[in-house]
């Protein structure tokens, strides 16, 4: 048990730095893998919500309602509850309920609906005149999606996935409290439970640096793809 008090935060000789870097790597690859899967699923779900919204076809209306319902439900469940709720599903998918791999299903299920709504909003903000012009020139629905809808909404899509990625970094930290690895588990087990405030501070600083890095990259890419 380490010494307590404000000075205990700065006893960095009590920090096992190789463990910190290993935990940082776990947090990074959990986040990056989750972001890639969430981006794909979110765009597909957002496109489905966008394309089926306002349809007069009964079957399409029902599809839109079902997809919207599940998106809203999983967006509403707090992550710490969702990860426990999905433990049996996680066991089936990855064969374990602890470790970094076990966190991926819950991370994806929590973030994909959130990003899907951001995608839908981005598509809705595209100028309808541009879309109508593409149709008038004989473009198919898929050509409109790939050559008009996605390019025109790309800055908002990149900005949205940046916000989602930063949320996922926070989710990985929460998942660490129940054994998912990464900086969250390091801060909880080696820091909080071991009364080692220096490790908790070190893990916090590294997480903040990772968040700043993701935000910087996201802002940079957004500026690059914004043609306005």
């Amino acid at each position: 048990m380490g010494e307590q008090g404000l000075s205990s935060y700065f006893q960095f000789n009590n920090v096992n730095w190789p463990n910190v870097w290993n935990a940082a790597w776990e947090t990074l690859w959990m986040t990056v893998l989750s972001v890639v899967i969430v981006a794909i699923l979110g765009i597909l779900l957002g496109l489905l919500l966008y394309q089926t919204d306002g349809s007069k076809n009964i079957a399409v209306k029902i599809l839109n309602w079902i997809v919207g319902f599940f998106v809203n439900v999983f967006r509403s469940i707090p992550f710490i509850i969702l990860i426990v709720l999905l433990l049996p599903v996680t066991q089936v998918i990855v064969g374990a309920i602890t470790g970094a791999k076990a966190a991926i299903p819950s991370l994806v299920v929590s973030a994909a609906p959130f990003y899907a709504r951001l995608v839908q909003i981005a598509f809705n903000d595209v100028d309808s005149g541009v879309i109508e012009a593409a149709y008038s020139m004989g473009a198919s629905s898929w050509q409109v999606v790939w050559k008009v809808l996605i390019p025109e909404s790309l800055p908002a899509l990149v900005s949205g996935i940046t916000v989602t990625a930063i949320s996922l970094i926070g989710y990985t930290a929460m998942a660490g409290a129940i054994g998912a690895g990464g900086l969250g588990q390091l801060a909880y087990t080696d820091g909080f439970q071991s009364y080692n405030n220096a490790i908790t501070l070190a893990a916090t600083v590294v997480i903040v640096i990772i968040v700043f890095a993701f935000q910087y990259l996201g802002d940079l890419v957004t500026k690059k793809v914004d043609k306005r």
Side-chain angles (χ1 to χ4, degrees):
M1 182 183 296
E3 179 187 342
Q4 296 303 291
L6 291 178
S7 62
S8 64
Y9 285 105
F10 305 102
Q11 294 175 354
F12 295 117
N13 58 309
N14 293 330
V15 176
N16 186 324
W17 291 106
N19 285 351
V20 173
W21 306 136
N22 288 337
W25 169 246
E26 279 191 336
T27 295
L28 274 173
W29 79 253
M30 274 193 290
T31 302
V32 171
L33 180 58
S34 299
V35 165
V36 171
I37 300 173
V38 165
I40 296 170
L41 290 178
I43 289 175
L44 291 175
L45 285 171
L47 180 60
L48 182 60
L49 289 167
Y50 171 79
Q51 295 282 48
T52 58
D53 187 34
S55 174
K56 295 179 181 179
N57 186 294
I58 297 299
V60 175
K61 280 186 175 181
I62 293 173
L63 176 61
N64 179 269
W65 184 86
I66 292 172
V67 175
F69 174 78
F70 280 104
V71 165
N72 289 336
V73 166
F74 284 104
R75 277 199 315 156
S76 304
I77 303 174
F79 180 73
I80 196 67
I81 296 175
L82 181 64
I83 197 171
V84 174
L85 181 67
L86 293 179
L87 284 178
V89 178
T90 301
Q91 177 70 51
V92 171
I93 295 174
V94 302
I97 59 173
T98 58
K101 286 193 300 182
I104 300 299
S106 298
L107 291 171
V108 170
V109 170
S110 67
F114 173 76
Y115 185 54
R117 284 300 186 192
L118 295 181
V119 170
Q120 183 187 15
I121 293 169
F123 288 165
N124 284 332
D125 286 342
V126 174
D127 188 353
S128 59
V130 177
I131 297 173
E132 289 170 4
Y135 278 122
S136 68
M137 289 186 290
S140 66
S141 294
W142 281 112
Q143 285 175 324
V144 169
V145 169
W146 289 111
K147 296 183 179 181
V148 178
L149 199 60
I150 291 179
E152 288 292 322
S153 61
L154 198 54
L157 295 178
V158 174
S159 180
I161 199 62
T162 302
V163 171
T164 305
I166 291 171
S167 296
L168 280 168
I169 295 170
Y171 291 163
T172 64
M174 283 188 275
I178 59 172
L183 290 164
Q185 180 168 336
L186 181 77
Y188 185 70
T189 57
D190 293 11
F192 174 71
Q193 290 188 330
S194 301
Y195 300 96
N196 191 332
N197 290 332
I199 288 183
T200 303
L201 178 61
T204 302
V205 170
V206 175
I207 286 177
V208 169
I209 291 171
I210 293 173
V211 168
F212 280 9
F214 270 82
Q215 186 67 64
Y216 175 78
L217 289 173
D219 291 345
L220 187 65
V221 174
T222 300
K223 290 178 182 177
K224 291 288 186 183
V225 300
D226 193 347
K227 303 303 181 184
R228 293 171 297 180

